[in-house]
Amino acid sequence: MTSSAIAVSGLRKAYGDKAVLDGIDFEVAAGSVFSLLGPNGAGKTTTVNILTTLLTADAGTVRVAGHDLATATKQVRAAIGVTGQFAAVDDLLSGRENLQLMADLKRVRSGGQVVGGLLERFDLVESADKLASTYSGGMRRKLDLAMTLVGSPQIIFLDEPTTGLDPRSRRTMWSIVRELVAEGTTIFLTTQYLEEADQLADRIAVLDGGRLVAQGTSDELKRQIPGTHVRLRFTDAGELDAATRLLDGALRDDEELTLRVPSDGESKSLRALLDRLDEHTINAQEFSVHTPDLDDVFLALTGRTSEEAIAK
Ligand SMILES: Nc1ncnc2c1ncn2[C@@H]1O[C@H](COP(=O)(O)OP(=O)(O)OP(=O)(O)O)[C@@H](O)[C@H]1O
Ligand SMILES: [Mg+2]
């Protein structure tokens, strides 16, 4: 067996004449978190569905847990767990019954004990015997993930596991993902949240227009784009003009009345910059130091902000 938990090469999928995946390649190391990042409609769920045997690709090769997806579907299914974008919870059963059903389906030994442990881990003990239909969105997502963990699959696919969750439930999800990885599980995670990929992923791939437009660690992606800068906002165009004349290499935005000044972000150069503005009696209404985050990466790679892309 190779050390890659997932290896994808030349993967293509079209709906009618619309290419959703236009030849994508990536590898996921065993025991790591790989995040597929992209806006609505980018093809994240399509990718997950292909990798989890729910959908057939038009072209390309995929190996999951060392098995060829095209010929060893059964072995692939035995190695993976999937939490889909929309919960697979049965509303007419309680949380405990949903988990027990999963344990029975997967023929897990001492299922009752496993179920009890999962209810505790996900903080669902109090509601364990209530119908899932009475659960909040966050509780349903947690139950859904707990169901995926029954039988301890070696590779877990999570399709937007925290979309719509409040910050506290999101943190719970994050810490569970970290625990799973510490236990040696491989996680394939899709998300629209750059921060989530930044927090959890060992490697990130950005999907846009059917292709992976970038791949790497979060630091590598951040290094691909222009670095730290100071952002100055002015109250009127006159001040903006004066500041633009004064500061070489600054990028102006007339609508926002801002200037983006390249800087190393160190206190000495920040003080020098402020002193220069002072000498020329130019007053900046706002002054902020900006280090690149994944939002900047997305903007640099796709020409859109992540919010614009999602709103599209
Ligand atoms: N069964 C289908 N028939 C036709 N087109 C489809 C089908 N399923 C998905 N698509 C299209 O394929 C594209 C990718 O969809 P997909 O669900 O993979 O995106 P996504 O990245 O998961 O988006 P989201 O963030 O909204 O979940 C979209 O344009 C979608 O409309
Ligand atoms: Mg989706």
PDB file of all heavy atoms in Angstrom, residues 41 44-46 85-86 159-160 190, ligand 2:
ATOM      1  N   GLY A  41     -21.356  25.802  -5.886  1.00  0.00           N
ATOM      2  CA  GLY A  41     -21.404  25.326  -7.264  1.00  0.00           C
ATOM      3  C   GLY A  41     -20.044  25.029  -7.867  1.00  0.00           C
ATOM      4  O   GLY A  41     -19.934  24.702  -9.048  1.00  0.00           O
ATOM      5  N   LYS A  44     -17.586  20.821  -5.258  1.00  0.00           N
ATOM      6  CA  LYS A  44     -17.101  20.129  -4.055  1.00  0.00           C
ATOM      7  C   LYS A  44     -17.888  18.848  -3.784  1.00  0.00           C
ATOM      8  O   LYS A  44     -17.314  17.773  -3.601  1.00  0.00           O
ATOM      9  CB  LYS A  44     -17.179  21.066  -2.830  1.00  0.00           C
ATOM     10  CG  LYS A  44     -16.384  22.351  -2.980  1.00  0.00           C
ATOM     11  CD  LYS A  44     -16.457  23.217  -1.729  1.00  0.00           C
ATOM     12  CE  LYS A  44     -17.852  23.713  -1.385  1.00  0.00           C
ATOM     13  NZ  LYS A  44     -18.432  24.620  -2.407  1.00  0.00           N
ATOM     14  N   THR A  45     -19.220  18.971  -3.771  1.00  0.00           N
ATOM     15  CA  THR A  45     -20.050  17.799  -3.489  1.00  0.00           C
ATOM     16  C   THR A  45     -19.900  16.763  -4.591  1.00  0.00           C
ATOM     17  O   THR A  45     -19.853  15.564  -4.330  1.00  0.00           O
ATOM     18  CB  THR A  45     -21.526  18.223  -3.315  1.00  0.00           C
ATOM     19  OG1 THR A  45     -21.614  19.117  -2.195  1.00  0.00           O
ATOM     20  CG2 THR A  45     -22.430  17.025  -3.073  1.00  0.00           C
ATOM     21  N   THR A  46     -19.785  17.226  -5.838  1.00  0.00           N
ATOM     22  CA  THR A  46     -19.558  16.311  -6.953  1.00  0.00           C
ATOM     23  C   THR A  46     -18.288  15.496  -6.705  1.00  0.00           C
ATOM     24  O   THR A  46     -18.285  14.267  -6.878  1.00  0.00           O
ATOM     25  CB  THR A  46     -19.436  17.103  -8.278  1.00  0.00           C
ATOM     26  OG1 THR A  46     -20.633  17.887  -8.446  1.00  0.00           O
ATOM     27  CG2 THR A  46     -19.253  16.190  -9.462  1.00  0.00           C
ATOM     28  N   GLN A  85     -23.487  16.704   2.780  1.00  0.00           N
ATOM     29  CA  GLN A  85     -23.846  18.104   3.002  1.00  0.00           C
ATOM     30  C   GLN A  85     -25.212  18.199   3.679  1.00  0.00           C
ATOM     31  O   GLN A  85     -25.469  19.116   4.447  1.00  0.00           O
ATOM     32  CB  GLN A  85     -23.860  18.841   1.656  1.00  0.00           C
ATOM     33  CG  GLN A  85     -24.036  20.331   1.770  1.00  0.00           C
ATOM     34  CD  GLN A  85     -23.719  21.028   0.470  1.00  0.00           C
ATOM     35  OE1 GLN A  85     -23.500  20.385  -0.565  1.00  0.00           O
ATOM     36  NE2 GLN A  85     -23.698  22.337   0.490  1.00  0.00           N
ATOM     37  N   PHE A  86     -26.081  17.241   3.384  1.00  0.00           N
ATOM     38  CA  PHE A  86     -27.407  17.238   3.999  1.00  0.00           C
ATOM     39  C   PHE A  86     -27.514  16.002   4.875  1.00  0.00           C
ATOM     40  O   PHE A  86     -27.186  14.895   4.459  1.00  0.00           O
ATOM     41  CB  PHE A  86     -28.479  17.307   2.923  1.00  0.00           C
ATOM     42  CG  PHE A  86     -28.274  18.488   2.029  1.00  0.00           C
ATOM     43  CD1 PHE A  86     -27.697  18.351   0.778  1.00  0.00           C
ATOM     44  CD2 PHE A  86     -28.578  19.768   2.473  1.00  0.00           C
ATOM     45  CE1 PHE A  86     -27.455  19.453  -0.029  1.00  0.00           C
ATOM     46  CE2 PHE A  86     -28.327  20.890   1.680  1.00  0.00           C
ATOM     47  CZ  PHE A  86     -27.771  20.732   0.421  1.00  0.00           C
ATOM     48  N   ASP A 159     -18.546  16.868   4.075  1.00  0.00           N
ATOM     49  CA  ASP A 159     -18.937  17.861   3.076  1.00  0.00           C
ATOM     50  C   ASP A 159     -19.569  19.062   3.784  1.00  0.00           C
ATOM     51  O   ASP A 159     -20.701  18.987   4.247  1.00  0.00           O
ATOM     52  CB  ASP A 159     -19.905  17.234   2.070  1.00  0.00           C
ATOM     53  CG  ASP A 159     -20.091  18.092   0.820  1.00  0.00           C
ATOM     54  OD1 ASP A 159     -19.467  19.168   0.721  1.00  0.00           O
ATOM     55  OD2 ASP A 159     -20.873  17.679  -0.063  1.00  0.00           O
ATOM     56  N   GLU A 160     -18.837  20.146   3.860  1.00  0.00           N
ATOM     57  CA  GLU A 160     -19.277  21.363   4.561  1.00  0.00           C
ATOM     58  C   GLU A 160     -19.862  21.059   5.936  1.00  0.00           C
ATOM     59  O   GLU A 160     -21.012  21.358   6.209  1.00  0.00           O
ATOM     60  CB  GLU A 160     -20.290  22.129   3.699  1.00  0.00           C
ATOM     61  CG  GLU A 160     -19.679  22.617   2.401  1.00  0.00           C
ATOM     62  CD  GLU A 160     -20.540  23.655   1.696  1.00  0.00           C
ATOM     63  OE1 GLU A 160     -21.252  24.410   2.378  1.00  0.00           O
ATOM     64  OE2 GLU A 160     -20.484  23.713   0.461  1.00  0.00           O
ATOM     65  N   THR A 190     -14.634  19.449   2.808  1.00  0.00           N
ATOM     66  CA  THR A 190     -14.917  20.577   1.916  1.00  0.00           C
ATOM     67  C   THR A 190     -15.437  21.725   2.760  1.00  0.00           C
ATOM     68  O   THR A 190     -16.050  21.516   3.799  1.00  0.00           O
ATOM     69  CB  THR A 190     -15.994  20.255   0.861  1.00  0.00           C
ATOM     70  OG1 THR A 190     -17.273  20.290   1.500  1.00  0.00           O
ATOM     71  CG2 THR A 190     -15.774  18.904   0.218  1.00  0.00           C
TER      72      THR A 190
HETATM   73 MG    MG B   2     -21.922  20.997  -1.994  1.00  0.00          MG
END
